[in-house]
Amino acid sequence: MSDPHARGGRLRVGCAVAAVLTGAILLAAGVSVAIALRQIRTEKPELRAVEQPLSGARPVRVVLDVAVARVVIGPAPAGAPLGVAASYDRGLYRLEASPAAAGSTYRIAFGPAGSETLALLRVKLGADPPLLRIELPRDVPLELEGSIRGSYAAVELGGLRLESSEFGVTGGALSMSFGEPLAAPMDRLTLRGDRGSLEVTGLGNASPRRFGLRQHLGAVDLDLRGAWRTDSVLSIRTGLAGGSVWLPRDVRVEGLDDRIVAPGGREEAGTARPRLRFSVTSHAGRLVFVE
Protein backbone atom coordinates (compact mmCIF):
# COMPACT_ATOMS: atom_id res chain seq x y z
CA MET A 1 0.00 0.00 0.00
CA SER A 2 1.51 3.34 -1.05
CA ASP A 3 2.43 5.97 1.48
CA PRO A 4 0.11 9.02 1.20
CA HIS A 5 2.87 11.25 2.60
CA ALA A 6 5.22 10.08 -0.19
CA ARG A 7 2.55 10.75 -2.79
CA GLY A 8 1.98 14.21 -1.35
CA GLY A 9 5.71 14.89 -1.43
CA ARG A 10 5.98 13.87 -5.06
CA LEU A 11 2.99 16.04 -5.89
CA ARG A 12 4.56 19.06 -4.20
CA VAL A 13 7.84 18.47 -6.04
CA GLY A 14 5.98 18.12 -9.34
CA CYS A 15 4.06 21.36 -8.72
CA ALA A 16 7.30 23.14 -7.84
CA VAL A 17 8.99 21.93 -11.04
CA ALA A 18 5.96 22.98 -13.08
CA ALA A 19 6.02 26.41 -11.45
CA VAL A 20 9.73 26.81 -12.22
CA LEU A 21 9.22 25.78 -15.86
CA THR A 22 6.25 28.12 -16.23
CA GLY A 23 8.28 30.96 -14.76
CA ALA A 24 11.17 30.23 -17.12
CA ILE A 25 8.82 30.20 -20.13
CA LEU A 26 7.21 33.48 -19.09
CA LEU A 27 10.63 35.03 -18.50
CA ALA A 28 11.86 33.91 -21.94
CA ALA A 29 8.68 35.26 -23.55
CA GLY A 30 9.11 38.58 -21.74
CA VAL A 31 12.73 38.84 -22.85
CA SER A 32 11.74 38.07 -26.47
CA VAL A 33 9.03 40.75 -26.42
CA ALA A 34 11.47 43.28 -24.94
CA ILE A 35 14.05 42.50 -27.64
CA ALA A 36 11.44 42.70 -30.38
CA LEU A 37 10.13 46.08 -29.14
CA ARG A 38 13.67 47.47 -28.95
CA GLN A 39 14.41 46.33 -32.50
CA ILE A 40 11.18 47.98 -33.72
CA ARG A 41 12.24 51.30 -32.18
CA THR A 42 15.76 51.18 -33.64
CA GLU A 43 14.93 49.72 -37.06
CA LYS A 44 16.37 51.69 -40.02
CA PRO A 45 15.12 50.38 -43.39
CA GLU A 46 17.38 50.95 -46.40
CA LEU A 47 16.72 50.34 -50.10
CA ARG A 48 18.93 47.93 -52.00
CA ALA A 49 18.52 47.09 -55.70
CA VAL A 50 20.15 44.41 -57.86
CA GLU A 51 19.82 43.86 -61.61
CA GLN A 52 20.69 40.71 -63.55
CA PRO A 53 20.59 40.73 -67.38
CA LEU A 54 19.21 37.45 -68.75
CA SER A 55 19.17 36.14 -72.29
CA GLY A 56 19.27 32.96 -74.34
CA ALA A 57 16.88 30.35 -75.65
CA ARG A 58 17.33 27.95 -72.74
CA PRO A 59 15.15 28.50 -69.66
CA VAL A 60 16.61 30.33 -66.69
CA ARG A 61 15.62 28.79 -63.36
CA VAL A 62 14.70 31.45 -60.78
CA VAL A 63 14.60 30.11 -57.20
CA LEU A 64 13.20 32.17 -54.30
CA ASP A 65 13.64 31.47 -50.58
CA VAL A 66 11.77 34.14 -48.60
CA ALA A 67 10.83 34.41 -44.92
CA VAL A 68 8.91 37.12 -43.01
CA ALA A 69 8.40 39.68 -45.76
CA ARG A 70 5.94 41.22 -48.16
CA VAL A 71 6.79 39.98 -51.64
CA VAL A 72 5.63 41.53 -54.90
CA ILE A 73 6.53 39.74 -58.14
CA GLY A 74 5.58 40.97 -61.60
CA PRO A 75 6.71 41.31 -65.23
CA ALA A 76 9.47 43.77 -66.04
CA PRO A 77 9.16 46.19 -68.97
CA ALA A 78 10.14 44.77 -72.37
CA GLY A 79 13.91 44.39 -72.68
CA ALA A 80 14.56 45.03 -68.98
CA PRO A 81 16.76 42.73 -66.86
CA LEU A 82 15.61 40.69 -63.90
CA GLY A 83 15.34 43.19 -61.08
CA VAL A 84 15.42 42.73 -57.31
CA ALA A 85 14.73 45.59 -54.90
CA ALA A 86 14.24 45.38 -51.14
CA SER A 87 13.59 47.84 -48.34
CA TYR A 88 14.92 46.43 -45.06
CA ASP A 89 17.19 46.93 -42.07
CA ARG A 90 20.50 45.28 -42.92
CA GLY A 91 21.11 44.57 -39.26
CA LEU A 92 17.94 42.47 -39.04
CA TYR A 93 17.57 40.91 -42.51
CA ARG A 94 19.73 39.48 -45.28
CA LEU A 95 19.35 39.65 -49.06
CA GLU A 96 21.39 37.35 -51.30
CA ALA A 97 21.12 37.28 -55.09
CA SER A 98 23.45 35.04 -57.08
CA PRO A 99 24.63 35.81 -60.61
CA ALA A 100 23.25 33.70 -63.44
CA ALA A 101 24.12 32.91 -67.03
CA ALA A 102 21.81 31.72 -69.80
CA GLY A 103 20.34 28.36 -68.96
CA SER A 104 21.52 28.43 -65.35
CA THR A 105 19.93 29.07 -61.94
CA TYR A 106 19.40 32.48 -60.36
CA ARG A 107 18.82 32.32 -56.61
CA ILE A 108 17.24 35.00 -54.43
CA ALA A 109 17.24 34.49 -50.67
CA PHE A 110 15.69 36.97 -48.25
CA GLY A 111 14.90 36.60 -44.57
CA PRO A 112 15.83 37.44 -41.00
CA ALA A 113 19.50 37.56 -40.09
CA GLY A 114 18.59 35.80 -36.85
CA SER A 115 15.53 34.00 -35.55
CA GLU A 116 12.50 33.79 -37.84
CA THR A 117 10.34 33.43 -34.72
CA LEU A 118 11.62 36.72 -33.32
CA ALA A 119 11.10 38.41 -36.70
CA LEU A 120 7.50 37.20 -36.79
CA LEU A 121 7.03 38.48 -33.24
CA ARG A 122 8.21 41.95 -34.31
CA VAL A 123 5.58 41.95 -37.06
CA LYS A 124 2.86 40.80 -34.66
CA LEU A 125 3.82 43.62 -32.30
CA GLY A 126 3.30 46.20 -35.05
CA ALA A 127 6.50 46.37 -37.11
CA ASP A 128 6.10 46.68 -40.88
CA PRO A 129 7.52 43.60 -42.62
CA PRO A 130 10.27 44.37 -45.12
CA LEU A 131 9.28 44.72 -48.77
CA LEU A 132 10.85 42.61 -51.51
CA ARG A 133 10.08 43.40 -55.17
CA ILE A 134 11.09 41.14 -58.06
CA GLU A 135 10.61 41.96 -61.74
CA LEU A 136 10.89 39.08 -64.23
CA PRO A 137 11.90 39.68 -67.87
CA ARG A 138 9.18 39.07 -70.46
CA ASP A 139 11.36 37.85 -73.32
CA VAL A 140 13.35 35.10 -71.55
CA PRO A 141 12.03 31.56 -70.91
CA LEU A 142 11.75 31.01 -67.16
CA GLU A 143 11.24 28.28 -64.58
CA LEU A 144 10.08 29.85 -61.30
CA GLU A 145 10.31 28.15 -57.90
CA GLY A 146 9.58 29.64 -54.51
CA SER A 147 9.52 28.86 -50.80
CA ILE A 148 7.44 31.37 -48.80
CA ARG A 149 7.44 31.24 -44.98
CA GLY A 150 5.57 33.62 -42.72
CA SER A 151 5.12 36.00 -45.64
CA TYR A 152 2.53 37.42 -48.00
CA ALA A 153 3.36 37.13 -51.69
CA ALA A 154 1.45 38.90 -54.48
CA VAL A 155 2.57 37.34 -57.77
CA GLU A 156 1.48 38.55 -61.23
CA LEU A 157 2.82 36.36 -64.04
CA GLY A 158 0.71 37.39 -67.04
CA GLY A 159 2.54 37.85 -70.33
CA LEU A 160 5.73 36.01 -69.35
CA ARG A 161 7.49 33.13 -71.11
CA LEU A 162 6.95 30.91 -68.09
CA GLU A 163 7.50 27.21 -68.71
CA SER A 164 6.93 25.88 -65.19
CA SER A 165 6.43 27.08 -61.64
CA GLU A 166 6.35 25.54 -58.17
CA PHE A 167 5.61 27.33 -54.88
CA GLY A 168 5.49 26.13 -51.29
CA VAL A 169 3.78 28.31 -48.66
CA THR A 170 4.09 27.79 -44.89
CA GLY A 171 2.37 30.04 -42.40
CA GLY A 172 1.69 32.72 -45.00
CA ALA A 173 -0.35 33.63 -48.06
CA LEU A 174 0.20 33.41 -51.80
CA SER A 175 -1.93 35.35 -54.27
CA MET A 176 -1.01 34.37 -57.84
CA SER A 177 -2.59 35.99 -60.88
CA PHE A 178 -2.39 35.61 -64.65
CA GLY A 179 -3.88 38.88 -65.87
CA GLU A 180 -3.13 38.11 -69.52
CA PRO A 181 -2.21 34.96 -71.49
CA LEU A 182 1.34 33.70 -71.27
CA ALA A 183 3.49 33.59 -74.38
CA ALA A 184 2.74 29.83 -74.54
CA PRO A 185 0.92 27.32 -72.32
CA MET A 186 2.86 26.25 -69.24
CA ASP A 187 4.02 22.68 -68.87
CA ARG A 188 3.44 22.50 -65.11
CA LEU A 189 2.23 24.57 -62.15
CA THR A 190 2.42 23.16 -58.61
CA LEU A 191 1.28 24.87 -55.39
CA ARG A 192 1.66 23.47 -51.86
CA GLY A 193 0.25 25.19 -48.79
CA ASP A 194 0.42 24.60 -45.05
CA ARG A 195 -1.14 26.90 -42.41
CA GLY A 196 -1.96 29.68 -44.81
CA SER A 197 -3.96 30.57 -47.90
CA LEU A 198 -3.58 29.96 -51.62
CA GLU A 199 -5.31 32.14 -54.20
CA VAL A 200 -5.03 31.79 -57.98
CA THR A 201 -6.74 34.07 -60.50
CA GLY A 202 -7.06 33.54 -64.26
CA LEU A 203 -5.41 30.12 -64.43
CA GLY A 204 -6.81 29.61 -67.93
CA ASN A 205 -4.46 32.33 -69.20
CA ALA A 206 -1.54 30.14 -68.10
CA SER A 207 -3.11 26.94 -69.54
CA PRO A 208 -0.80 24.56 -67.64
CA ARG A 209 -0.81 21.04 -69.05
CA ARG A 210 -0.43 19.78 -65.46
CA PHE A 211 -1.71 21.60 -62.40
CA GLY A 212 -1.35 20.41 -58.82
CA LEU A 213 -2.62 22.05 -55.64
CA ARG A 214 -2.20 20.63 -52.13
CA GLN A 215 -3.42 22.59 -49.13
CA HIS A 216 -3.06 21.02 -45.69
CA LEU A 217 -4.54 23.71 -43.45
CA GLY A 218 -6.02 27.01 -44.56
CA ALA A 219 -8.09 28.49 -47.37
CA VAL A 220 -8.19 27.97 -51.12
CA ASP A 221 -9.59 30.32 -53.77
CA LEU A 222 -8.97 28.86 -57.21
CA ASP A 223 -10.18 30.72 -60.31
CA LEU A 224 -9.78 28.52 -63.39
CA ARG A 225 -11.27 31.03 -65.81
CA GLY A 226 -9.30 32.51 -68.68
CA ALA A 227 -8.30 31.64 -72.26
CA TRP A 228 -7.54 27.90 -72.08
CA ARG A 229 -5.47 26.80 -75.09
CA THR A 230 -4.65 23.17 -74.29
CA ASP A 231 -5.87 20.11 -72.40
CA SER A 232 -4.96 19.95 -68.74
CA VAL A 233 -4.82 17.44 -65.88
CA LEU A 234 -5.71 19.10 -62.57
CA SER A 235 -5.04 17.46 -59.18
CA ILE A 236 -6.54 19.18 -56.12
CA ARG A 237 -5.86 17.79 -52.62
CA THR A 238 -7.05 19.47 -49.42
CA GLY A 239 -6.89 18.39 -45.80
CA LEU A 240 -8.23 20.74 -43.11
CA ALA A 241 -8.87 23.33 -45.78
CA GLY A 242 -11.81 24.68 -47.70
CA GLY A 243 -12.66 27.26 -50.30
CA SER A 244 -14.00 27.86 -53.78
CA VAL A 245 -13.12 26.62 -57.25
CA TRP A 246 -14.41 28.80 -60.09
CA LEU A 247 -14.92 26.78 -63.28
CA PRO A 248 -14.40 28.24 -66.76
CA ARG A 249 -16.71 28.09 -69.76
CA ASP A 250 -15.78 26.96 -73.28
CA VAL A 251 -13.99 23.88 -71.95
CA ARG A 252 -14.91 20.24 -71.40
CA VAL A 253 -14.87 19.19 -67.75
CA GLU A 254 -14.14 15.58 -66.77
CA GLY A 255 -13.73 13.84 -63.43
CA LEU A 256 -16.17 15.89 -61.38
CA ASP A 257 -19.41 14.51 -59.96
CA ASP A 258 -22.40 15.51 -62.11
CA ARG A 259 -24.04 16.79 -58.92
CA ILE A 260 -21.18 19.28 -58.60
CA VAL A 261 -21.01 20.44 -62.19
CA ALA A 262 -22.58 19.31 -65.44
CA PRO A 263 -20.04 17.66 -67.75
CA GLY A 264 -19.04 19.39 -70.98
CA GLY A 265 -21.60 19.18 -73.75
CA ARG A 266 -21.35 17.58 -77.17
CA GLU A 267 -18.67 18.99 -79.40
CA GLU A 268 -19.83 21.06 -82.33
CA ALA A 269 -18.12 20.68 -85.68
CA GLY A 270 -14.95 22.81 -85.87
CA THR A 271 -15.18 23.98 -82.25
CA ALA A 272 -12.98 21.51 -80.33
CA ARG A 273 -12.55 22.73 -76.77
CA PRO A 274 -9.76 22.05 -74.27
CA ARG A 275 -10.46 19.21 -71.81
CA LEU A 276 -9.91 19.71 -68.10
CA ARG A 277 -9.52 16.36 -66.33
CA PHE A 278 -9.99 16.69 -62.57
CA SER A 279 -8.83 14.55 -59.66
CA VAL A 280 -10.18 15.99 -56.40
CA THR A 281 -9.71 14.79 -52.81
CA SER A 282 -11.00 16.78 -49.84
CA HIS A 283 -10.78 15.39 -46.29
CA ALA A 284 -12.08 17.50 -43.39
CA GLY A 285 -12.50 20.69 -45.44
CA ARG A 286 -15.10 21.55 -48.06
CA LEU A 287 -14.55 22.77 -51.61
CA VAL A 288 -17.36 24.57 -53.41
CA PHE A 289 -17.32 24.39 -57.21
CA VAL A 290 -18.89 27.39 -58.91
CA GLU A 291 -19.88 27.42 -62.59
Side-chain angles (χ1 to χ4, degrees):
M1 193 170 181
S2 60
D3 185 350
H5 295 290
R7 290 202 306 271
R10 288 195 296 270
L11 180 60
R12 287 191 294 273
V13 170
C15 291
V17 171
V20 171
L21 291 176
T22 301
I25 292 171
L26 292 175
L27 177 61
V31 170
S32 297
V33 170
I35 293 173
L37 289 173
R38 180 180 178 183
Q39 290 176 340
I40 291 174
R41 290 193 295 268
T42 60
E43 186 175 4
K44 296 180 180 179
E46 301 177 49
L47 179 65
R48 180 186 173 193
V50 180
E51 291 187 345
Q52 173 65 55
L54 300 178
S55 62
R58 292 184 298 167
V60 175
R61 183 168 167 252
V62 179
V63 180
L64 314 177
D65 185 358
V66 180
V68 196
R70 289 178 295 147
V71 189
V72 179
I73 302 175
L82 188 152
V84 180
S87 176
Y88 65 104
D89 186 322
R90 298 193 184 190
L92 299 177
Y93 290 86
R94 293 286 184 268
L95 171 63
E96 299 178 1
S98 66
S104 64
T105 298
Y106 186 76
R107 298 184 182 276
I108 303 169
F110 184 87
S115 166
E116 289 187 14
T117 301
L118 184 58
L120 282 169
L121 179 60
R122 287 198 300 269
V123 173
K124 292 183 181 296
L125 291 175
D128 291 329
L131 175 62
L132 175 66
R133 292 184 178 274
I134 301 172
E135 292 189 338
L136 302 172
R138 291 176 175 268
D139 52 355
V140 176
L142 299 173
E143 298 173 347
L144 179 63
E145 299 179 16
S147 173
I148 307 294
R149 301 184 305 282
S151 304
Y152 172 77
V155 182
E156 170 56 57
L157 301 175
L160 296 175
R161 294 181 61 186
L162 188 61
E163 298 194 357
S164 66
S165 182
E166 181 173 345
F167 271 85
V169 180
T170 303
L174 172 67
S175 178
M176 179 178 288
S177 177
F178 298 91
E180 60 179 295
L182 300 182
M186 293 180 68
D187 178 62
R188 174 180 53 84
L189 174 59
T190 304
L191 304 176
R192 301 185 306 275
D194 184 14
R195 293 182 289 110
S197 65
L198 296 176
E199 178 184 4
V200 181
T201 304
L203 185 64
N205 288 334
S207 294
R209 295 178 176 85
R210 292 174 291 166
F211 173 75
L213 184 149
R214 294 177 181 269
Q215 176 71 307
H216 174 61
L217 176 64
V220 173
D221 191 352
L222 179 57
D223 178 4
L224 303 180
R225 292 170 292 189
W228 283 93
R229 288 171 285 174
T230 186
D231 295 348
S232 179
V233 176
L234 301 98
S235 174
I236 302 174
R237 302 283 184 267
T238 59
L240 297 173
S244 301
V245 180
W246 301 81
L247 296 168
R249 298 182 178 181
D250 301 322
V251 297
R252 291 181 62 85
V253 173
E254 299 178 358
L256 295 182
D257 193 313
D258 291 354
R259 293 171 296 178
I260 299 176
V261 57
R266 179 171 54 87
E267 294 284 5
E268 298 178 5
T271 60
R273 293 175 292 172
R275 297 174 183 265
L276 306 186
R277 298 180 175 89
F278 284 85
S279 173
V280 179
T281 301
S282 181
H283 294 292
R286 181 170 181 261
L287 289 176
V288 177
F289 288 80
V290 183
E291 289 190 88

